[in-house]
């Protein structure tokens, strides 16, 4: 596996104003969607990001791709800080980092043909001579498993899986180094999910792509990711390789998430019991001072409420370098 860092997020923060009061419309608080996230994506690998709905995964995806601006922090792409670039620099940046969206229908313009949708990024970036656009688009369509002869068809004429293939072809149009996939299979049937995941893995192998793959389904991420980050209420609470995280989760929240994943074998289902979390997720407008999971954690003690745990190696496995956890009392600790 490559050790070369391609994409890095450093102390990323994204707060959204919440409500307003007074004649000047002053905000009465902020939704802390992403709060101090650090992550690393290595060249040719896949970083999976998982967590419940509302934990900040999709916001993080849009921050990484500069679709929305971070409140603070830095994004380093291939050794270059892209946090403050704008104008032509930002347009040039789009060639290196692209996004696949969750809903394959709403992310495609229904008034444009497939050919126009896929050609549009190339036209904006002026990377393919106009006379060669159609040929390049048809090459991309064939690459993602679509019939090149359907170049003039419209999104409504395709199935959900085919529409997601169109979205993938559009993301590939600029030959990016990184693709951020925001729950790219969650809106698809299970049988189609497997096809899209296999396609993404094949494209990664053939084109040397690197992925940030976001999902709420842990079983999906398990088979595609080289490393998995678990988010809770705007923060990363655990990062580990899949074989470590799925066999010996260190954070209680990760353990609870995994306990809810259905098992294919009745014996395995019988061996692990479902952990039902008590209480509600704290408000992202006014999160707790200490550990954000403390109010729902069965291991919480006074220090958890008073002091936020740092994300670091705490010897929760026999080989601490295999993962990082933000917990005062991690599972499997020595």
């Amino acid at each position: 596996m490559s050790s070369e860092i391609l994409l890095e997020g450093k102390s990323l923060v994204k707060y959204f104003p919440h409500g307003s009061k007074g004649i000047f419309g002053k905000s009465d608080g902020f939704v802390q969607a992403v709060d101090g996230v650090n992550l690393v994506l290595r060249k040719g690998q896949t970083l999976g990001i998982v967590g419940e709905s509302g934990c900040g995964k999709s916001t993080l995806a849009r921050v990484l791709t500069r679709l929305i601006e971070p409140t603070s922090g830095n994004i380093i792409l291939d050794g270059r800080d892209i946090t403050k670039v704008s104008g032509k620099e930002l347009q040039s940046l789009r060639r290196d980092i692209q996004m696949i969206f969750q809903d394959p229908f709403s992310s495609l313009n229904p008034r444009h043909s497939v050919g126009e949708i896929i050609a549009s990024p190339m036209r904006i970036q002026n990377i393919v001579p106009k006379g060669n656009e159609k040929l390049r688009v048809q090459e991309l369509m064939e690459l993602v498993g679509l019939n090149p002869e359907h170049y003039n068809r419209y999104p409504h004429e395709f199935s959900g899986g085919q529409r997601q293939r169109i979205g993938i072809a559009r993301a590939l149009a600029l030959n990016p180094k990184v693709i951020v996939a925001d729950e790219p299979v969650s809106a698809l049937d299970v049988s189609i999910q497997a096809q899209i995941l296999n396609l993404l893995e094949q494209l990664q192998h053939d084109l040397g792509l690197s992925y940030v793959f976001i999902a709420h389904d842990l079983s999906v991420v398990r088979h595609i990711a080289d490393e998995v980050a678990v988010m809770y209420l705007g923060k990363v609470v655990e990062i580990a390789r899949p074989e470590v995280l799925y066999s010996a989760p260190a954070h209680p929240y990760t353990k609870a998430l995994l306990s809810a994943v259905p098992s294919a074998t009745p014996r395995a289902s019988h061996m692990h019991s479902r952990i039902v979390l008590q209480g509600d997720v704290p408000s992202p407008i006014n999160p707790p001072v200490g550990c954000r999971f403390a109010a729902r954690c069965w291991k919480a003690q006074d220090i958890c409420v008073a002091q936020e745990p740092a994300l670091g190696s705490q010897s929760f496995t026999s080989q601490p370098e295999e993962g990082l956890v933000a917990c005062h009392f991690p599972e499997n600790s020595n």
Side-chain angles (χ1 to χ4, degrees):
M1 286 187 178
S2 172
S3 60
E4 182 182 346
I5 295 176
L6 184 58
L7 179 67
E8 187 174 7
K10 295 184 175 181
S11 302
L12 289 176
V13 172
K14 181 58 184 179
Y15 289 178
F16 294 99
H18 173 74
S20 62
K21 62 181 180 181
I23 60 174
F24 298 108
K26 183 180 178 182
S27 172
D28 58 2
F30 292 90
V31 176
Q32 300 181 22
V34 175
D35 193 12
V37 167
N38 295 285
L39 53 81
V40 168
L41 173 66
R42 302 183 188 281
K43 190 173 183 179
Q45 295 192 12
T46 298
L47 171 65
I49 301 177
V50 300
E52 295 172 294
S53 296
C55 72
K57 306 185 302 296
S58 293
T59 300
L60 178 60
R62 283 158 175 74
V63 167
L64 288 172
T65 52
R66 289 290 311 277
L67 292 180
I68 58 176
E69 299 300 319
T71 303
S72 63
N74 301 90
I75 307 162
I76 312 298
L77 177 61
D78 206 13
R80 177 187 176 198
D81 190 338
I82 65 170
T83 315
K84 303 299 182 184
V85 300
S86 59
K88 290 186 177 180
E89 278 189 294
L90 182 58
Q91 181 175 319
S92 176
L93 161 69
R94 301 294 184 206
R95 301 181 187 183
D96 292 333
I97 184 164
Q98 285 285 296
M99 190 163 178
I100 300 170
F101 298 92
Q102 177 178 355
D103 188 339
F105 190 68
S106 64
S107 64
L108 304 176
N109 191 328
R111 295 183 177 87
H112 289 177
S113 68
V114 170
E116 292 174 305
I117 289 169
I118 299 174
S120 179
M122 296 187 289
R123 195 171 300 137
I124 292 170
Q125 295 283 350
N126 194 28
I127 63 172
V128 176
K130 193 169 184 179
N132 295 342
E133 272 184 10
K134 183 174 181 179
L135 178 61
R136 176 56 180 157
V137 168
Q138 290 181 320
E139 287 176 351
L140 288 168
M141 291 179 68
E142 189 170 13
L143 184 64
V144 300
L146 294 170
N147 188 338
E149 295 179 3
H150 296 165
Y151 174 90
N152 289 318
R153 291 191 178 183
Y154 288 81
H156 72 271
E157 300 179 79
F158 294 86
S159 67
Q162 289 173 325
R163 286 195 288 261
Q164 194 58 289
R165 290 174 189 266
I166 296 169
I168 294 171
R170 178 178 59 185
L172 293 174
L174 299 179
N175 301 313
K177 298 175 183 177
V178 178
I179 290 181
V180 178
D182 183 14
E183 304 216 34
V185 298
S186 64
L188 306 176
D189 292 340
V190 174
S191 59
I192 306 301
Q193 287 184 11
Q195 295 176 19
I196 297 299
L197 290 173
N198 289 338
L199 172 63
L200 290 172
E201 288 190 296
Q202 187 62 49
L203 291 172
Q204 183 175 46
H205 178 268
D206 294 344
L207 304 178
L209 297 169
S210 304
Y211 295 138
V212 176
F213 191 98
I214 292 170
H216 64 269
D217 188 338
L218 278 78
S219 58
V220 168
V221 174
R222 180 173 193 166
H223 299 290
I224 196 170
D226 297 288
E227 196 168 38
V228 180
V230 181
M231 285 190 71
Y232 182 79
L233 203 62
K235 289 187 174 290
V236 172
V237 296
E238 184 171 358
I239 301 177
R241 297 204 307 268
E243 60 268 28
V244 174
L245 187 135
Y246 286 83
S247 62
H251 200 283
Y253 175 63
T254 309
K255 186 174 182 179
L257 281 181
L258 289 172
S259 76
V261 177
S263 174
T265 60
R267 182 181 179 185
S269 298
H270 178 72
M271 290 176 66
H272 80 271
S273 57
R274 171 77 182 270
I275 298 173
V276 179
L277 296 176
Q278 304 298 319
D280 297 323
V281 178
S283 169
I285 301 171
N286 187 26
V289 175
C291 175
R292 297 190 174 186
F293 186 62
R296 307 174 75 194
C297 182
W298 60 93
K299 301 183 72 174
Q301 298 184 30
D302 290 345
I303 189 176
C304 303
V305 177
Q307 180 181 326
E308 181 182 342
L311 182 67
S313 175
Q314 299 190 26
S315 300
F316 63 89
T317 68
S318 57
Q319 295 179 307
E321 70 277 5
E322 290 183 340
L324 302 173
V325 61
C327 182
H328 293 296
F329 305 101
E331 302 285 320
N332 314 309
S333 59
N334 295 331

